[in-house]
Amino acid sequence: MLTGGGDAPGLNAVIRAVVKAAVNANIDVIGLEDSFDGLLYPSRTRPLTPQSVTGILRLGGTILGTTNRGNPFEYPADTPDGKVDYSDRVVETFHRMGLDALVAIGGDGTLAIAHQFFLKGIPIVGVPKTIDNDIVGTTTCFGFDTAVAFAADAIDRLHSTAEAHRRVMVVEVMGRYAGWIALHAGVAGGADVILMPEIPYRLECVAEHIRQRERLGAKFSIVVAAEGAIPVGGEAVLLAAARAGHVERLGGVGGQVAASLEPMTGKEARCVVLGHLQRGGTPTAFDRVLATRLGGKAVELLQRGVFGKMVANHPPDIVPVPLADVVGRTRKVPVDYDLIGTARAIGISFGE
Ligand code: F6P
């Protein structure tokens, strides 16, 4: 079993469920450290027993370590094109270690790598993870609920200081190319404006919404901006462009929006970037339960010899879906999602 990509609260709950369910079914579990690095460097593996997972249910992070830089098909290296293909070495190590199957817990990147290894003959079960909630084929990913709860709490706290200083507070949240965190945290936290990638915004519309609130007596405003929010006809703001072995890093839209809104509204504006705080901390009860269910289902698939699948949340069930149907796609917020309509109905602006 390995964990890959950015961490998300609930990874340890999956690890614990897989280990306990597997050991009870007489399956030995080996933990691979730092994603697929554990199959490149066999010293980075360790047996996982019920004792080794005691007490981890409530812990954020992952006891196995993780990386979003270690794709064995494009491993970062000092070569002319900056990468090297170690995938055959991974397959060899897998067989040399006498492993029967691999449980890969990760987001879109890790699941895509897992699918490539499935096509190279490794029996794989995928478990979806991400705070961004953007994996196709599952209605919810563990980690999302915890991230939203944290962001909503932050927005609650920012209300009092925004109101005290009569300021505009822009809160930048994660989510990459999907606005799930921005939308859910914005609605839960009572934001006035939500900017998300699925609904390109016009700054003038945001400013007018704030001025209108002012005219109605509300002297402060809270704007939630997804890191991937884009203006009409514009691009997402990047901290770093993509390069070999590294995906592009989003970030900075909140600061830009705050700086623009000051002269447009005549109000002081500040930006708060919640960043990796959204990925840290203890998972909510919802995420612990979902993670445990996904882990349990993964072991059931191992026992049945069902591979090349991702376990997915299809309420009220956890079901296997083909990895092939999941990879290379992003589950964006549908623009006809009822929460968007309700948000508009209760006076939240999307900057349109
Ligand atoms: O995919 C999860 C996520 O937290 C995104 O929301 C964010 O853009 C990205 O990971 C940040 O990754 P890193 O930790 O590599 O900066």
Side-chain angles (χ1 to χ4, degrees), residues 6 68-69 130-132 174-176 227 249-250 276 279:
N68 45 17
R69 312 269 180 266
T130 171
I131 65 165
D132 301 340
M174 284 184 165
R176 293 194 73 75
E227 62 181 357
R249 280 181 66 204
L250 293 155
H276 293 83
R279 291 204 326 223

Side-chain angles (χ1 to χ4, degrees), residues 131-314:
I131 65 165
D132 301 340
N133 206 37
D134 62 352
I135 297 178
V136 171
T138 183
T139 58
T140 337
C141 300
F142 66 85
F144 173 63
D145 187 64
T146 308
V148 167
F150 173 80
D153 179 55
I155 297 166
D156 282 352
R157 288 163 185 267
L158 291 168
H159 264 90
S160 50
T161 175
E163 189 166 20
H165 286 265
R166 297 166 178 245
R167 280 176 174 156
V168 175
M169 298 296 300
V170 181
V171 189
E172 181 179 308
V173 298
M174 284 184 165
R176 293 194 73 75
Y177 310 107
W180 293 103
I181 297 177
L183 177 63
H184 281 241
V187 170
D192 306 299
V193 179
I194 298 173
L195 306 180
M196 47 193 271
E198 294 83 352
I199 306 177
Y201 66 88
R202 291 181 197 278
L203 268 176
E204 183 44 43
C205 298
V206 178
E208 177 49 27
H209 190 75
I210 293 169
R211 290 192 296 259
Q212 175 67 6
R213 278 177 51 78
E214 186 93 2
R215 287 194 286 274
L216 295 174
K219 302 295 179 196
F220 73 97
S221 288
I222 305 279
V223 178
V224 174
E227 62 181 357
I230 45 172
V232 171
E235 305 271 325
V237 184
L238 299 185
L239 289 173
R243 57 195 165 91
H246 300 253
V247 295
E248 66 184 12
R249 280 181 66 204
L250 293 155
V253 66
Q256 289 191 6
V257 166
S260 303
L261 287 177
E262 277 205 352
M264 294 173 84
T265 60
K267 298 188 69 62
E268 254 192 293
R270 293 282 194 276
C271 171
V272 177
V273 180
L274 298 185
H276 293 83
L277 291 167
Q278 294 159 98
R279 291 204 326 223
T282 188
T284 59
F286 179 90
D287 280 339
R288 295 182 203 188
V289 171
L290 177 58
T292 301
R293 293 175 74 199
L294 293 171
K297 191 70 178 185
V299 173
E300 185 197 312
L301 296 192
L302 295 181
Q303 288 176 282
R304 285 169 38 207
V306 176
F307 300 115
K309 309 282 185 192
M310 174 186 88
V311 288
N313 187 22
H314 282 206

Side-chain angles (χ1 to χ4, degrees), residues 87-158:
S87 58
D88 288 339
R89 187 165 133 191
V90 164
V91 176
E92 268 169 45
T93 313
F94 178 86
H95 292 304
R96 202 164 353 102
M97 288 175 70
L99 302 178
D100 300 307
L102 179 63
V103 176
I105 312 167
D108 48 358
T110 304
L111 294 174
I113 298 167
H115 182 239
Q116 280 178 280
F117 279 119
F118 175 66
L119 298 178
K120 275 172 105 59
I122 295 191
I124 299 253
V125 174
V127 180
K129 156 273 15 163
T130 171
I131 65 165
D132 301 340
N133 206 37
D134 62 352
I135 297 178
V136 171
T138 183
T139 58
T140 337
C141 300
F142 66 85
F144 173 63
D145 187 64
T146 308
V148 167
F150 173 80
D153 179 55
I155 297 166
D156 282 352
R157 288 163 185 267
L158 291 168

